[in-house]
Amino acid sequence: MITIYTDGGCQGNPGPGGWGTIVLQDGERIEYSGREPRTTNNRMELQGAIEGLLRTPEGSEVTLSSDSQYLVYTMTRGWKRNKNLDLWEKLDSLTASRKVKWAWLQDFQHPEMERAHQLATGHGGNAPTLAGVQGTQPPAGGLGPALSKAEGVSPKMATDSPGSTSEQAPSLTHLDERGHARMVDVSPKAETSREAIARGRVLMKPETLRLLQEGKVEKGDALAVARLAGISAAKDTSRLIPLAHPLPLTQVAVHLALDEANSAVDIEARAKTVGRTGVEMEALVAVSMAALALYDMLKAADRAMHITDIRLVRKSGGKSGTFVAE
């Protein structure tokens, strides 16, 4: 089994960049690194993986670790490939002739991952491009020549700037190209009127529903408490959801309706704002907290209540327009 740790990055994105790769095989540990005067984070992440695999024989079993979630998940989960198709083609060719197991490691989760990062960013000390602990030549069967180490580069940027040439998974806006969580920059967006509606329900025993109908809940007006809890929670969404933006809500309305036929309480929340991002999370949080508050009010009588079907049913406003689920 051959183990590879690889990393890549650049300054400016695009800008000067580099890659670093560590190959461990048969008790030998060899470091490789290279530089490019103008490149992107993703090209260097890909190049690092390519250079590592080039140093392994065809047919070998390889575990390749990278801190680029996009690289790993593109190879294992079929994430989109919109750019750098030349490098993806090389990587596909190399993996087709090897048994590669991909592993995603966050920054500095492993000493070798940290070292690969140092090599990629030019902060790896005075080690030459080939710095073998037990030798300075590529493993037997290696295919690629060692690249010379040129000027160092600054540590790679975790997030691309808008309009950069790096490759991303566009459907996951809260992840940067390396899979790291980020708060989306909404400053370029226009302020528009936005609205979202979410729904959910709480299933309960018929006798519990009757307590609500007859106003006999020991703690008081359970429906009023749940409604206020939902409204309050919507206003605290940015505190409860780490990457949500604080929004100036213009309205939050929470409605609860008794469904005797299904022994349930149906909850609907409507949130509105005028801003640069949507209020879907505010509506969903309102429904969720209203359901939890209702559970709290009724749990002494029915601990088997079931909170279910929380979902977004409609949103409007913004560049993406109107979405209707039901």
Side-chain angles (χ1 to χ4, degrees):
M1 172 65 72
I2 302 172
T3 303
I4 296 174
Y5 296 90
T6 181
D7 198 8
C10 75
Q11 181 183 25
N13 206 36
W19 56 266
T21 293
I22 299 170
V23 179
L24 290 82
Q25 179 182 12
D26 299 328
E28 187 175 59
R29 177 187 178 281
I30 304 180
E31 297 180 351
Y32 306 87
S33 64
R35 299 287 177 268
E36 291 189 12
R38 184 172 177 80
T39 185
T40 67
N41 284 335
N42 281 324
R43 287 195 70 84
M44 292 296 90
E45 296 279 10
L46 284 164
Q47 192 67 47
I50 290 169
E51 296 294 340
L53 290 173
L54 281 171
R55 271 74 181 184
T56 65
E58 292 187 2
S60 58
E61 295 186 4
V62 181
T63 296
L64 192 151
S65 297
S66 170
D67 71 349
S68 171
Q69 192 176 47
Y70 186 71
L71 166 64
V72 173
Y73 285 177
T74 298
M75 296 303 295
T76 61
R77 301 186 183 183
W79 283 15
K80 292 182 180 179
R81 305 178 179 190
N82 297 323
K83 298 176 182 177
N84 302 316
L85 299 183
D86 57 328
L87 297 184
W88 286 119
E89 184 177 356
K90 291 181 182 178
L91 193 56
D92 285 340
S93 177
L94 289 167
T95 56
S97 58
R98 293 160 178 79
K99 299 177 182 178
V100 182
K101 178 181 178 182
W102 296 87
W104 175 57
L105 293 177
Q106 295 187 32
D107 280 343
F108 311 143
Q109 274 191 335
H110 191 283
E112 296 289 15
M113 198 73 253
E114 181 175 0
R115 177 58 180 168
H117 175 78
Q118 293 173 344
L119 291 170
T121 58
H123 289 251
N126 297 319
T129 301
L130 293 180
V133 173
Q134 299 184 28
T136 59
Q137 297 300 318
L143 302 177
L147 299 185
S148 62
K149 183 174 182 179
E151 305 85 54
V153 296
S154 297
K156 62 185 174 184
M157 299 173 65
T159 305
D160 289 344
S161 58
S164 74
T165 59
S166 70
E167 186 173 3
Q168 300 183 19
S171 61
L172 300 174
T173 58
H174 282 296
L175 295 179
D176 65 19
E177 83 287 346
R178 294 172 59 203
H180 296 169
R182 66 174 180 183
M183 190 174 188
V184 177
D185 182 5
V186 299
S187 58
K189 296 184 178 182
E191 288 192 346
T192 63
S193 296
R194 299 170 185 265
E195 181 180 18
I197 301 172
R199 291 179 184 149
R201 62 171 25 194
V202 182
L203 300 173
M204 61 192 66
K205 297 176 183 178
E207 51 267 34
T208 308
L209 189 67
R210 281 196 295 272
L211 291 176
L212 284 172
Q213 291 173 320
E214 298 170 4
K216 295 182 178 180
V217 179
E218 290 185 0
K219 289 186 177 181
D221 190 342
L223 298 178
V225 170
R227 184 165 50 251
L228 292 174
I231 294 171
S232 179
K235 295 189 291 185
D236 277 343
T237 296
S238 63
R239 182 174 61 85
L240 298 170
I241 306 297
L243 300 180
H245 295 78
L247 295 180
L249 295 173
T250 57
Q251 182 190 30
V252 179
V254 178
H255 301 283
L256 296 95
L258 305 186
D259 180 357
E260 188 172 359
N262 295 298
S263 190
V265 176
D266 291 318
I267 305 170
E268 179 180 285
R270 183 187 302 263
K272 293 182 179 181
T273 190
V274 177
R276 291 185 170 90
T277 189
V279 286
E280 296 94 323
M281 293 311 302
E282 284 70 15
L284 288 164
V285 166
V287 170
S288 301
M289 189 55 67
L292 288 170
L294 188 62
Y295 183 96
D296 179 59
M297 294 293 289
L298 299 173
K299 67 180 185 292
D302 186 359
R303 295 188 184 275
M305 286 180 293
H306 190 76
I307 298 172
T308 185
D309 295 335
I310 297 175
R311 75 278 189 199
L312 178 72
V313 298
R314 180 182 174 87
K315 63 84 63 178
S316 61
K319 184 177 180 181
S320 60
T322 299
F323 162 83
V324 180
E326 59 181 60

